Amino acid sequence: MKGFNECSNGHFYDNNLKTCPYCPNTGERKVGSLDKTIIEGETFDQTIIEAPNYSDKTIVDNQEAINEPAKDLSKTYIKTDDVVTDDAGAETVVLRERRKLVGWLVSYTIDSLGRDYRIYEGRNTIGANTSNDIILNTDASVSKQHAILLFRNNNFYLKDNLSTNSTKLNGKDIEPDTSVKFNDKAIIEIGNTKFLFKTSF
């Protein structure tokens, strides 16, 4: 055929190419050569190039390769060795908070079946903005950073962060920018969302 060469395996290929693109590479490029760009699953001149398994390398922004869901890159995550196995037998590495769990906020306003949020030692922010620890973006009455829940020296404090629609503790408005101490079974209202607070100890 004019303009084509035939390799020893009977493949026809463009005569501008040095080697047959359909035959296995005979050693022109070593697998793992880091001076080349390797793209998994792409086709160049009918040759499928597969990325080698760099299991000892750091993979950035390739969630499928590390078998984890997409993460909010504005937050810091610390990976632990905890592994969870789902019903299908697939294992997933779990990212854990590195602060002590001290309680929960439980709401039946957001979901009639109940929704719970973990409270950790130190500062826990609550609001509509995704940078908060507890995100309430389905309630239009919640400010971007509405309130702060703090656990310090075995005590819990709630502070209204100058919100538009106030924060209530056990039915009473909290003064703006003022911290109020509270205990187990307290009712906290953030905008139109109501929570029951439970300690973990």
Side-chain angles (χ1 to χ4, degrees), residues 102-120:
V102 293
W104 292 269
L105 289 178
V106 180
S107 175
Y108 291 93
T109 308
I110 298 167
D111 185 340
S112 61
L113 297 176
R115 178 84 53 92
D116 69 309
Y117 299 89
R118 293 178 179 185
I119 303 299
Y120 295 96

Side-chain angles (χ1 to χ4, degrees), residues 3-4 31 36 71-72 77 87-88 95 100 103 105 114 117 123 126 133 140 187 191:
F4 290 90
V31 173
K36 306 289 183 188
K71 303 290 183 294
D72 178 0
Y77 295 91
D87 294 337
L95 299 178
K100 181 181 176 183
L105 289 178
Y117 299 89
R123 190 172 181 261
I126 305 168
D133 298 302
I187 302 296

Side-chain angles (χ1 to χ4, degrees), residues 149-178:
L149 199 155
L150 178 70
F151 178 77
R152 182 185 293 157
N153 298 326
N154 291 324
N155 291 307
F156 293 93
Y157 302 91
L158 182 64
K159 176 184 170 187
D160 180 80
N161 205 29
L162 302 173
S163 66
T164 303
N165 294 306
S166 79
T167 302
K168 292 182 180 179
L169 177 62
N170 296 322
K172 295 180 181 178
D173 281 341
I174 295 175
E175 287 294 320
D177 209 27
T178 303

Side-chain angles (χ1 to χ4, degrees), residues 67-85:
N67 195 26
E68 293 178 2
K71 303 290 183 294
D72 178 0
L73 298 180
S74 68
K75 296 190 177 189
T76 301
Y77 295 91
I78 300 172
K79 186 179 284 190
T80 68
D81 293 329
D82 291 351
V83 177
V84 175
T85 306

Side-chain angles (χ1 to χ4, degrees), residues 3 5 13-22 44-47:
N5 292 330
Y13 61 96
D14 191 322
N15 63 2
N16 292 323
L17 299 174
K18 290 182 183 178
T19 60
C20 175
Y22 306 108
F44 298 98
D45 299 324
Q46 305 301 319
T47 302

